[in-house]
Amino acid sequence: MSNQRKIENPTGACQKQALRVTFDSRLRLEFHGSQVTSDAGLLAYRELDEALNLTASAEDLLNDWRTGQNTQHSMTAMLRQSLYSRLAGYEDTNDAERLAVDPAMRQVVGGRATEHTAASTSQMGRFETEVLTQPKNLKVLANLSGKWIDRLHEHRAMRELVLDMDSSVSETYGEQEGTAYNGHFACTCYHPLFCFNQFGDVEGTLLREGNVHSAKDWRAVLEPVVARYQGRNLRRYFRADAAFAQPELYEYLEAEGFEYAIRLPANDALLRDIEPLLTRPVGRPSNTPVVWYAGFLYQAKSWSQVRRVVAKVEWHSGELFPRIGFIVTNLKRPAKAVVRFYNQRGTAEQWIKEGKNAVKWTRLSCHDFVDNHVRLQLFVLAYNLGNFLRQAVLPRPVQHWTLTTLREKLIKIGAKVVRHSKKVVFQMAEVAVPRELFWSILQAIGRLRLPAVASG
């Protein structure tokens, strides 16, 4: 008896063969090709994209020198395909051939893709390594994150701005240009620099060679961000670790009206200023750490003026010496409050981990350095789009979801796609994200279409 039988395609387009298995005669395996998708949740992100006019805003900014058959897909469509594929976990162009016929990808890309196919692997490769690597387009791409963040802030009142700057590691495994061994990370890598705001959005990023200092080129990342917020009635704050303890940075932040808290490496002069706190507490050791705080004025030889330094000294049971940390700051808060404010910069490290896990932004495998710089900017744009939905759209019961959870539960909704002459129906699987939750997300996105709120 044959293990196949003919069935009619539900859309009436053609006939398919249903496969059967012997372990359960009730099962029929039907293959409908491009009639199904595993990424139907991308439609919610595309709705958010449309509400804030994000990807469409790049059409007039990017320089398009393509001619002939290379112009089948617009710059906006190609940009969308680059971003949405990364948002769904496809970290390079190798999957473009399959995604070109995926019904969800075709719909979110728009334009010619909705009736035909999205861009192929070769088209996407040329777009990312030839078109976007032009100096003008690369500059536009680097500034696009800030423009997107500004669009979101038009719908959300801000009273303060908190910037966290940190470097990261992107391990490399080939002969990529600019890759080098980094002794701190103990690997061959690139050493990108990131600047986040308090909502987890990437305000700016820069790809750097693997063996550079953590704070190198901080101006190239920070100055455009600071310039965007000039003239707004906001309290401005900045945090960074000890790698950024540089007098040039202090002076810049003070001139721009920022309040800052930056970790300061310990030295003998600083230790002398807190000498009374370095005597072990008398009495029986406590099971909980004994913590002391102090604030004092200090001027290093390389500083042009005296600045406030806050110290935290922790005595732990079973440890011979205390744990000591110093923070240089111009905050007027009590010492303990300054330490608490500085410690909140740990969220930036969490956001870097999310970027690595959710959108794979460490996947920089091109040979040319500029190609990998473009790829990093695309990863960051995809990350920001995902973060916009998380922080501004998600209903309260699921606001704790990470970008990785959103990819696995929201983006990866399976759907059967039925095309009619005047409409396309996505029959969504109702598993991790029920209809009511998806509807509440769409409602929240709809509210972003209302008139913008007054900005600070």
Side-chain angles (χ1 to χ4, degrees):
M1 182 175 179
S2 172
N3 68 339
Q4 298 181 351
R5 69 179 182 86
K6 287 187 177 182
I7 64 167
E8 292 194 2
N9 189 308
T11 63
C14 61
Q15 289 187 337
K16 296 284 187 179
Q17 293 288 335
L19 306 182
R20 298 177 62 181
V21 292
T22 56
F23 75 88
D24 192 336
S25 61
R26 297 170 297 174
L27 296 182
R28 299 289 188 274
L29 310 183
E30 300 177 3
F31 291 79
H32 297 299
S34 60
Q35 297 173 32
V36 296
T37 179
S38 62
D39 300 314
L42 284 175
L43 299 172
Y45 292 85
R46 179 66 178 85
E47 183 74 358
L48 176 61
D49 179 358
E50 184 74 13
L52 297 176
N53 191 34
L54 301 179
T55 53
S57 65
E59 182 70 29
D60 296 331
L61 300 175
L62 294 171
N63 179 35
D64 187 3
W65 52 263
R66 301 172 302 159
T67 59
Q69 291 295 315
N70 292 330
T71 60
Q72 290 180 342
H73 300 282
S74 68
M75 297 288 277
T76 297
M78 301 285 280
L79 179 63
R80 285 173 182 159
Q81 189 167 343
S82 289
L83 302 185
Y84 284 109
S85 59
R86 286 172 166 82
L87 195 56
Y90 308 106
E91 61 264 25
D92 53 36
T93 60
N94 294 337
D95 296 293
E97 210 68 41
R98 179 177 66 82
L99 294 175
V101 297
D102 182 89
M105 185 60 65
R106 289 165 58 193
Q107 292 299 138
V108 298
V109 166
R112 183 182 184 276
T114 56
E115 298 299 329
H116 298 87
T117 63
S120 64
T121 297
S122 59
Q123 290 173 320
M124 291 304 302
R126 286 194 297 271
F127 174 70
E128 294 186 7
T129 62
E130 296 178 15
V131 177
L132 294 182
T133 53
Q134 296 181 64
K136 178 182 177 181
N137 286 341
L138 184 53
K139 183 178 180 180
V140 169
L141 204 61
N143 293 333
L144 211 53
S145 285
K147 293 182 181 295
W148 284 15
I149 292 170
D150 289 343
R151 289 184 181 274
L152 181 60
H153 287 173
E154 290 174 1
H155 300 270
R156 177 179 55 196
M158 288 183 63
R159 293 184 176 85
E160 64 179 23
L161 171 69
V162 183
L163 298 179
D164 290 297
M165 182 165 278
D166 203 356
S167 64
S168 182
V169 56
S170 294
E171 294 188 44
T172 55
Y173 302 94
E175 298 298 326
Q176 291 101 312
E177 182 182 12
T179 187
Y181 182 80
N182 187 297
H184 176 75
F185 298 111
C187 66
T188 302
C189 61
Y190 288 122
H191 195 183
L193 182 63
F194 296 92
C195 181
F196 295 90
N197 61 29
Q198 68 265 37
F199 306 107
D201 306 319
V202 179
E203 293 274 358
T205 186
L206 180 69
L207 186 65
R208 305 174 301 174
E209 296 179 348
N211 57 356
V212 302
H213 186 270
S214 294
K216 180 177 170 55
D217 296 321
W218 61 264
R219 283 185 179 273
V221 176
L222 185 59
E223 285 186 338
V225 177
V226 172
R228 281 187 23 248
Y229 286 97
Q230 283 181 344
R232 304 188 192 183
N233 185 24
L234 299 171
R235 293 287 297 270
R236 294 166 169 80
Y237 302 94
F238 179 88
R239 295 182 295 226
D241 63 21
F244 297 86
Q246 302 182 2
E248 296 84 2
L249 180 55
Y250 310 152
E251 293 169 1
Y252 173 78
L253 294 170
E254 290 160 357
E256 295 294 339
F258 273 77
E259 297 177 82
Y260 59 84
I262 301 174
R263 183 89 176 206
L264 193 63
N267 59 47
D268 291 340
L270 290 172
L271 292 174
R272 283 195 298 270
D273 284 327
I274 61 167
E275 190 171 356
L277 304 183
L278 302 183
T279 302
R280 178 177 290 278
V282 296
R284 185 175 182 178
S286 170
N287 291 327
T288 59
V290 176
V291 183
W292 292 330
Y293 300 91
F296 54 92
L297 296 179
Y298 171 79
Q299 183 177 6
K301 291 182 179 180
S302 60
W303 296 5
S304 61
Q305 66 183 55
V306 174
R307 292 184 172 90
R308 184 188 183 201
V309 171
V310 167
K312 178 184 179 182
V313 180
E314 295 181 76
W315 288 94
H316 289 256
S317 176
E319 295 184 7
L320 183 60
F321 299 103
R323 303 179 188 180
I324 305 170
F326 296 99
I327 299 170
V328 57
T329 183
N330 60 352
L331 290 167
K332 302 299 190 294
R333 306 176 185 182
K336 184 176 181 180
V338 170
V339 173
R340 186 185 305 114
F341 172 74
Y342 172 81
N343 287 341
Q344 291 171 356
R345 67 166 297 276
T347 55
E349 298 176 1
Q350 180 61 37
W351 292 325
I352 288 176
K353 290 180 181 178
E354 286 217 346
K356 292 179 178 181
N357 295 330
V359 297
K360 315 291 185 184
W361 67 24
T362 56
R363 184 67 181 269
L364 305 174
S365 55
C366 294
H367 175 270
D368 292 350
F369 184 84
V370 67
D371 293 351
N372 285 318
H373 192 189
V374 165
R375 289 172 64 87
L376 178 61
Q377 298 293 345
L378 291 171
F379 280 122
V380 164
L381 287 171
Y383 165 91
N384 276 350
L385 178 57
N387 196 53
F388 289 175
L389 186 136
R390 175 178 62 177
Q391 54 157 313
V393 171
L394 283 189
R396 187 177 300 275
V398 294
Q399 282 182 349
H400 63 282
W401 283 6
T402 65
L403 294 185
T404 303
T405 303
L406 283 170
R407 187 191 68 209
E408 295 173 350
K409 293 188 175 182
L410 177 60
I411 293 178
K412 296 300 180 181
I413 295 178
K416 178 180 177 181
V417 184
V418 180
R419 294 181 178 273
H420 301 283
S421 59
K422 295 185 178 181
K423 63 181 178 180
V424 180
V425 179
F426 277 72
Q427 299 175 351
M428 317 279 277
E430 196 170 15
V431 185
V433 178
R435 180 186 183 279
E436 290 74 18
L437 177 55
F438 204 96
W439 172 237
S440 63
I441 291 174
L442 294 180
Q443 283 183 310
I445 294 174
R447 288 191 288 270
L448 294 177
R449 298 179 184 274
L450 299 176
V453 300
S455 180

